Amino acid sequence: GNSVTQMEGPVTLSEEAFLTINCTYTATGYPSLFWYVQYPGEGLQLLLKATKADDKGSNKGFEATYRKETTSFHLEKGSVQVSDSAVYFCALNIPTFGRGTSLIVHP
Amino acid sequence: EPEVTQTPSHQVTQMGQEVILRCVPISNHLYFYWYRQILGQKVEFLVSFYNNEISEKSEIFDDQFSVERPDGSNFTLKIRSTKLEDSAMYFCASRGQGRTEAFFGQGTRLTVV
């Protein structure tokens, strides 16, 4: 069946550092891939998506590229801010979510 | 901007009682989902609903759970006899026809005492 594997957290960074959160998936066919973000005490917000191989999703400085050859959809941001502190979930189609990766950014 | 709304935001109930969690999906969406999240950890799929019937459910969604779309706007999750381990944040989500992404509500925090 479908599954998503995310790197364990928490990821702790200083402000302006480069961020990578790894996500790999197992699926049949050609799934759509998503990153959702959950800020403390809030619900899940769609951050970005990609629907086919080699697509790049981007939003708010975050990017992820759909790599079918490596079955990956890693989230990256060039310079993180304290306000990016949240839990990030990789998702496959709907309803399959990864376990979430907590990001903590220090000033 | 259209959004998914959930009520109540927080519900406390006694073990063994029935609860109904309510959701109003985005108005032209046709696919509906319930998820739960325990202690801010992983997001667990419960059930998906389309065309007035369950399209998929997880092993968590046993006989004590049910879903209903009682009218054109609401989508409810009922837990018949709550257990302590049902304490969690419950999220409703909806998705439009021909769209791949789902939009989530702010959640209902259920506390079973």
Side-chain angles (χ1 to χ4, degrees), chain B residues 25-55:
Chain B
I26 294 173
S27 64
N28 60 348
H29 284 189
L30 299 177
Y31 300 85
F32 313 116
Y33 307 86
W34 282 102
Y35 288 81
R36 77 176 185 190
Q37 185 180 36
I38 296 175
L39 291 177
Q41 299 304 312
K42 63 177 180 176
V43 176
E44 299 176 302
F45 168 70
L46 295 178
V47 65
S48 59
F49 191 87
Y50 171 71
N51 201 26
N52 286 320
E53 61 183 30
I54 291 173
S55 48

Side-chain angles (χ1 to χ4, degrees), chain A residues 26-50:
Chain A
T26 302
T28 54
Y30 299 91
S32 295
L33 300 170
F34 309 87
W35 278 99
Y36 282 82
V37 58
Q38 185 178 34
Y39 297 102
E42 298 188 12
L44 293 156
Q45 299 177 26
L46 178 67
L47 180 59
L48 53 84
K49 70 172 187 178

Side-chain angles (χ1 to χ4, degrees), chain B residues 98-109:
Chain B
R99 306 296 298 180
T100 55
E101 69 276 16
F103 293 90
F104 284 75
Q106 291 296 300
T108 293
R109 179 171 301 282

